[in-house]
């Protein structure tokens, strides 16, 4: 059954990012070929990373201009309207919060995609490194079996068969086959000679990715906390909360622009690699791999022949020939030289072990396994990884703009709160209708005191049901000592000397019927009234 061969095609967004302008520190155009070891290419990525610093500077400049305009126009705004309309500010805050929440959702998706891509890269690197280590161990095992074990047995057999010329010729032929196997095993690639350690690269990549993922996660959580505290600050109208929010917003704003710059530079550099990865890998492995070997594993085309197939075939044929020779020696030399049995059986065991290693080595040196790991790594980096970086850059841009708008909203709320406090401070504290004055003049001992109006009204209703005795006249009734009759029953219809209920209502007015009701009160009722109103 034929196995479908997978081909790598760079996604469109890598070409888009690859076409970004590359400039060095002198703003001279630089070739966009992926060359991380060259200083000019490194400078071009640093210039792209500085785009975040430029955005931060523009944001701070815009905020400074807004603050200047806000505080310069504050006096005229206060004179025009005593109570500024906060509806616009509230709606701007709500829209800003929604934008930040949407950006956080985009950021979570991008962070997850990037992490998945890097995980696929590290897994492929570990698997490819395991394959290369297995190839090295099999080559070393087969070589040690042939060089050490077979040569020792052949030297002893040469002493045993010293009197038989035909057996010595068979041993010379076996020695020739051993030399052929050693020569072909030496021709196989020795990965230990390379300066590239895939496991170390995978470990370093996983380490950096963990802290990158954690940093973005904390930044996303910080933006959500800012939105929640902003809603609480608007609801509570608390300047302390607003000061806290300003600090966190400035921190998040700086981190967002920094994340935008670093994410953009990383995405562009990775896209430069993803557009032509084969060229970069061939240049990196030319010191220990020939071009045909590198192309065989990078492309794995059916038209390309395995460069190790000839060596493996020679090894297998040599081992088969040696097996036939050993079988013949065991059959014909045992009656004459019984002491040679142990060495001949030892050679047979080593040949079986070496043949098994050669079969495993043939399977591992096939291009399909390593090429699949290579494609998985490219798919993880260039598809999931770069796509996630684009989403993270979008999150950083949206969050930075929204946080800048949020700072403007916070400063506007601060001015509105300041104008409201100024309006409260302009109120006369001696005004009995001032809420603060009423709170200060409130006495808990007076909280249960009945108002004179309500009490007289109740007495009037009682008098209408039970009229007082005729012997009591108004001329014999003495007013209470603490009452000022001239103020109460004179021309003024106000009773100013009676304390109010907690200072919470204006002084009551009294009608003539209420005056008549009061004059008709008995002495016991007057004493009861005096007890109720006594402080």
């Amino acid at each position: 059954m034929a196995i479908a061969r997978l081909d790598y095609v760079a996604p469109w967004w890598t070409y888009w990012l690859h076409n970004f302008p590359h400039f060095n520190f002198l703003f001279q155009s630089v070739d966009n070929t992926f060359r991380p070891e060259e200083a000019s290419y490194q400078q071009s990525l640093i210039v792209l990373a500085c785009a975040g610093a430029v955005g931060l500077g523009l944001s701070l400049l815009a905020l400074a201009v807004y603050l200047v305009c806000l505080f310069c126009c504050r006096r005229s705004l206060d004179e025009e309207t005593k109570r500024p309309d906060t509806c616009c500010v509230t709606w701007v805050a709500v829209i800003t919060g929604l934008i930040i929440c949407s950006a956080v959702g985009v950021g979570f998706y991008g962070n997850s995609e990037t992490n998945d891509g890097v995980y696929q890269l590290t897994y492929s690197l570990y698997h490819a490194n395991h394959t290369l280590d297995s190839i090295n161990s099999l080559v070393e095992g087969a070589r040690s079996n042939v060089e050490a074990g077979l040569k020792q047995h052949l030297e002893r057999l040469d002493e045993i068969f010293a009197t038989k010329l035909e057996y010595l010729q068979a041993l010379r032929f076996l020695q020739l086959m051993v030399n052929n196997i050693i020569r072909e095993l030496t021709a196989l690639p020795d990965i230990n000679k390379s300066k590239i350690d895939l496991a170390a690269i995978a470990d370093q990549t996983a380490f950096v990715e963990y802290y990158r993922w954690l940093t973005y996660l904390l930044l996303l959580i910080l933006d959500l906390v800012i939105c929640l505290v902003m809603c609480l600050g608007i609801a509570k109208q608390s300047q302390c909360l607003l000061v806290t929010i300003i600090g966190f917003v400035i921190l998040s704003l700086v981190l967002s622009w920094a994340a935008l710059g670093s994410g953009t530079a990383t995405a562009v550099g990775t896209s430069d690699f993803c557009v032509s990865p084969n060229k970069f890998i061939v240049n990196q492995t030319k010191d220990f791999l020939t071009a045909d070997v590198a192309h065989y594993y990078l492309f794995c085309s059916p038209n390309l022949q395995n460069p190790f197939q000839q060596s493996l075939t020679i090894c297998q044929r040599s081992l088969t020939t040696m097996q036939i020779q050993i079988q013949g020696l065991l059959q014909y030399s045992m009656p004459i030289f019984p002491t040679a049995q142990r060495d001949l059986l030892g050679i047979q065991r080593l040949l079986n072990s070496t043949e098994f290693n050669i079969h495993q080595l043939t399977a591992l040196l096939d291009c399909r396994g390593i090429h699949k790991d290579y494609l998985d790594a490219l798919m993880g980096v260039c598809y999931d990884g770069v796509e996630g970086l684009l989403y993270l850059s979008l999150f950083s841009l949206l969050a930075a703009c929204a946080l800048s708008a949020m700072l403007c909203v916070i400063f506007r709320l601060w001015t509105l709160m300041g104008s409201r406090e100024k309006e409260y401070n302009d109120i006369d504290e001696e005004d009995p209708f001032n809420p603060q004055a009423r709170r200060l003049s409130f006495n808990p001992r007076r909280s249960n005191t009945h108002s004179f109006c309500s009490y007289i009204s109740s007495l009037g209703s009682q008098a209408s049901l039970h009229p007082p005795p005729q012997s009591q006249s108004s001329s014999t009734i003495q007013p209470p000592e603490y009452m000022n009759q001239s103020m109460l029953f004179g021309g003024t219809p106000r009773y100013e000397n009676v304390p109010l209920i907690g200072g919470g209502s204006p002084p009551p007015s009294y009608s003539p019927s209420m005056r008549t009701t009061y004059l008709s009160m008995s002495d016991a009722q007057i004493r009861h009234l005096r007890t109720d109103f006594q402080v």
Side-chain angles (χ1 to χ4, degrees), residues 474-495:
S474 60
S475 61
T476 61
I477 297 175
Q478 298 295 330
E481 297 177 357
Y482 60 86
M483 290 186 179
N484 191 343
Q485 288 184 337
S486 62
M487 294 296 296
L488 179 61
F489 303 116
T492 305
R494 291 283 186 179
Y495 183 67

Side-chain angles (χ1 to χ4, degrees), residues 260-304:
L260 178 61
S262 60
T264 303
T266 305
V268 171
T270 308
S271 299
D272 293 339
F273 166 78
C274 292
V275 168
S276 57
N278 298 329
K279 182 179 179 181
F280 173 75
I281 293 177
V282 169
N283 292 331
Q284 292 295 317
T285 58
K286 63 183 180 182
D287 294 335
F288 56 92
L289 286 182
T290 59
D292 57 341
V293 174
H295 283 85
Y296 173 71
Y297 287 105
L298 292 177
F299 296 100
C300 195
S301 174
N303 300 325
L304 295 176

Side-chain angles (χ1 to χ4, degrees), residues 56-200:
L56 177 61
L58 293 177
S59 298
L60 296 178
L61 180 62
L63 287 173
V65 173
Y66 177 78
L67 286 176
V68 171
C69 296
L70 181 64
F71 287 104
C72 288
C73 301
R74 180 178 178 182
R75 183 181 301 274
S76 59
L77 291 175
D78 292 341
E79 292 176 356
E80 290 177 1
T81 56
K82 278 191 173 182
R83 294 185 177 273
D85 187 14
T86 60
C87 180
C88 180
V89 178
T90 304
W91 276 109
V92 172
V94 170
I95 294 173
T96 303
L98 292 176
I99 293 176
I100 292 178
C101 292
S102 302
V104 167
V106 174
F108 272 112
Y109 177 76
N111 200 28
S112 176
E113 283 291 302
T114 304
N115 185 258
D116 292 341
V118 175
Y119 173 78
Q120 189 172 353
L121 169 65
T122 55
Y123 179 81
S124 300
L125 289 176
Y126 283 127
H127 192 268
N129 185 74
H130 176 71
T131 302
L132 296 178
D133 288 341
S134 300
I135 291 174
N136 280 335
S137 62
L138 289 174
V139 171
E140 292 295 331
R143 189 181 300 170
S144 62
N145 288 338
V146 173
E147 288 182 349
L150 289 180
K151 284 188 175 182
Q152 290 178 1
H153 289 295
L154 289 176
E155 288 175 359
R156 284 196 294 265
L157 288 176
D158 188 67
E159 296 177 358
I160 295 172
F161 296 151
T163 59
K164 282 290 184 178
L165 183 60
E166 60 273 17
Y167 293 159
L168 290 177
Q169 291 178 351
L171 292 178
R172 299 294 181 272
F173 183 76
L174 290 176
Q175 186 65 43
L176 180 62
M177 294 295 102
V178 169
N179 293 333
N180 290 337
I181 294 174
I182 293 174
R183 183 180 66 252
E184 297 303 329
L185 289 177
T186 307
L188 295 178
D190 188 4
I191 308 299
N192 291 327
K193 294 180 181 179
S194 65
K195 299 179 181 180
I196 300 177
D197 187 0
L198 297 181

Side-chain angles (χ1 to χ4, degrees), residues 288-509:
F288 56 92
L289 286 182
T290 59
D292 57 341
V293 174
H295 283 85
Y296 173 71
Y297 287 105
L298 292 177
F299 296 100
C300 195
S301 174
N303 300 325
L304 295 176
Q305 186 180 2
N306 188 346
F308 309 113
Q309 187 62 47
Q310 184 178 0
S311 299
L312 295 174
T313 302
I314 292 174
C315 289
Q316 290 177 353
R317 290 177 181 177
S318 300
L319 289 172
T320 303
T321 303
M322 292 178 69
Q323 289 280 14
I324 295 173
Q325 292 292 328
I326 294 299
Q327 288 290 340
L329 289 175
L330 284 173
Q331 182 178 359
Y332 295 106
S333 67
M334 287 298 296
I336 304 174
F337 302 102
T339 57
Q341 181 181 8
R342 187 181 66 178
D343 291 312
L344 291 174
L345 293 177
I347 291 175
Q348 193 174 40
R349 285 192 298 269
L350 289 176
L351 291 177
N352 292 333
S353 175
T354 304
E355 189 173 5
F356 178 75
N357 290 342
I358 293 298
H359 283 298
Q360 284 188 318
L361 192 59
T362 303
L364 290 176
L365 286 175
D366 187 79
C367 67
R368 287 174 292 183
I370 296 178
H371 183 68
K372 183 180 181 302
D373 293 333
Y374 174 62
L375 288 181
D376 290 341
L378 287 180
M379 293 294 180
V381 173
C382 301
Y383 279 81
D384 294 339
V386 178
E387 182 185 5
L389 288 175
L390 286 176
Y391 280 110
L392 287 176
S393 299
L394 178 61
F395 151 72
S396 301
L397 181 61
L398 291 177
C401 296
L403 289 171
S404 300
M406 182 174 287
L407 280 176
C408 297
V409 171
I410 293 173
F411 292 142
R412 179 58 179 162
L413 286 174
W414 186 278
T415 58
L416 292 178
M417 290 181 184
S419 62
R420 190 170 302 167
E421 289 184 356
K422 181 179 178 182
E423 185 177 327
Y424 285 151
N425 292 333
D426 291 339
I427 299 175
D428 188 5
E429 295 181 356
E430 297 180 358
D431 187 2
F433 298 100
N434 184 8
Q436 295 182 358
R438 292 199 301 267
R439 286 195 298 268
L440 293 174
S441 61
F442 175 72
N443 191 344
R445 296 174 56 188
R446 301 180 184 179
S447 59
N448 297 324
T449 305
H450 304 286
S451 66
F452 182 77
C453 177
S454 59
Y455 190 80
I456 296 301
S457 300
S458 63
L459 290 179
S461 61
Q462 293 176 3
S464 61
L465 295 176
H466 305 285
Q470 298 294 330
S471 59
Q472 296 178 355
S473 62
S474 60
S475 61
T476 61
I477 297 175
Q478 298 295 330
E481 297 177 357
Y482 60 86
M483 290 186 179
N484 191 343
Q485 288 184 337
S486 62
M487 294 296 296
L488 179 61
F489 303 116
T492 305
R494 291 283 186 179
Y495 183 67
E496 300 292 342
N497 293 337
V498 178
L500 302 176
I501 302 176
S505 60
S509 300

